[in-house]
Amino acid sequence: EVQLVESGGGLIQPGGSLRLSCAASGFTVSRNHLNWVRQGPGKGLEWVSIIYSGGTTYYADSVKGRFTISRDNSKNTVFLHMNSLRAEDTAVYYCARDAPRRDGYNEAFDIWGQGTMVSVSS
Amino acid sequence: EIVLTQSPGTLSLSPGERATLSCRASQSISSSYLAWYQQKPGQAPRLLIYGASSRATGIPDRFSGSGSGTDFTLTISRLEPEDFAVYYCHQYVYSARTFGQGTKLEIK
């Protein structure tokens, strides 16, 4: 079964750091484009970051310089390293896959994890 | 950054009625790179439509998408009780993806 499972969320103080994990099964992370998307309490969806199959990464302006996306091919897992956390980073963080395309171009998100909650508060 | 504006914010309809949801982009985007998602409380979003008009696997044919340039529409032909949820449009033409703010479809 193709699925994504996030973990690593929790309660963290402002200025702190956290690492989220997204474990994939049923497909190979290194051959796909993987994203992080977050949703604040009662709010809409906000795209956070992407790691392309080739390794290139991009970030939303709101997290640039503070968050880093990476992957461990041996564990078939993608990570989101979050530093200098702020109250406004409080959200459910989802991992989502670009649907595979033969040409490697961007595609809609066909697989989503169940999400992991990050709360930034003193 | 491409800004997506969805309207209306809330749509109140009855089962069996037709729903029309709008998504307007701040600049023209290829219709190949516009998607719609459904999200129910406590659940992750589910892909409904990609490439502006292609239904994702397992999506009923009462869901349809259309549009081009800056104006896109999601239509639900006959609302079923399970269709009441929040709907998001999403552009993925650039690496920096963006979502609309969502339309809540509620039972009248």
Side-chain angles (χ1 to χ4, degrees), chain A residues 47-118:
Chain A
W47 175 82
V48 173
S49 181
I50 184 172
I51 183 165
Y52 282 96
S53 57
T56 304
T57 60
Y58 290 89
Y59 301 91
D61 287 344
S62 59
V63 306
K64 201 172 294 182
R66 300 187 300 123
F67 290 12
T68 303
I69 191 170
S70 65
R71 69 185 180 213
D72 184 331
N73 296 341
S74 68
K75 295 181 179 179
N76 211 33
T77 298
V78 173
F79 302 99
L80 187 67
H81 306 261
M82 305 185 295
N83 296 322
S84 303
L85 282 162
R86 307 165 181 168
E88 55 264 36
D89 296 318
T90 294
V92 174
Y93 284 73
Y94 294 102
C95 183
R97 183 184 78 166
D98 271 32
R101 287 177 58 146
R102 290 184 180 181
D103 58 13
Y105 286 177
N106 296 346
E107 191 48 272
F109 302 159
D110 66 337
I111 304 296
W112 294 69
Q114 84 290 350
T116 186
M117 181 69 202
V118 173

Side-chain angles (χ1 to χ4, degrees), chain B residues 4-27:
Chain B
L4 299 178
T5 302
Q6 292 186 239
S7 61
T10 301
L11 185 58
S12 300
L13 294 170
S14 301
E17 290 192 295
R18 180 184 186 91
T20 303
L21 287 67
S22 174
C23 176
R24 176 163 291 178
S26 59
Q27 63 188 77

Side-chain angles (χ1 to χ4, degrees), chain B residues 37-69:
Chain B
Y37 301 86
Q38 176 192 69
Q39 187 179 33
K40 297 180 179 179
Q43 297 184 16
R46 177 174 71 143
L47 177 64
L48 299 175
I49 301 288
Y50 65 96
S53 60
S54 298
R55 273 187 300 277
T57 303
I59 302 304
D61 60 8
R62 64 179 182 273
F63 290 90
S64 63
S66 63
S68 63

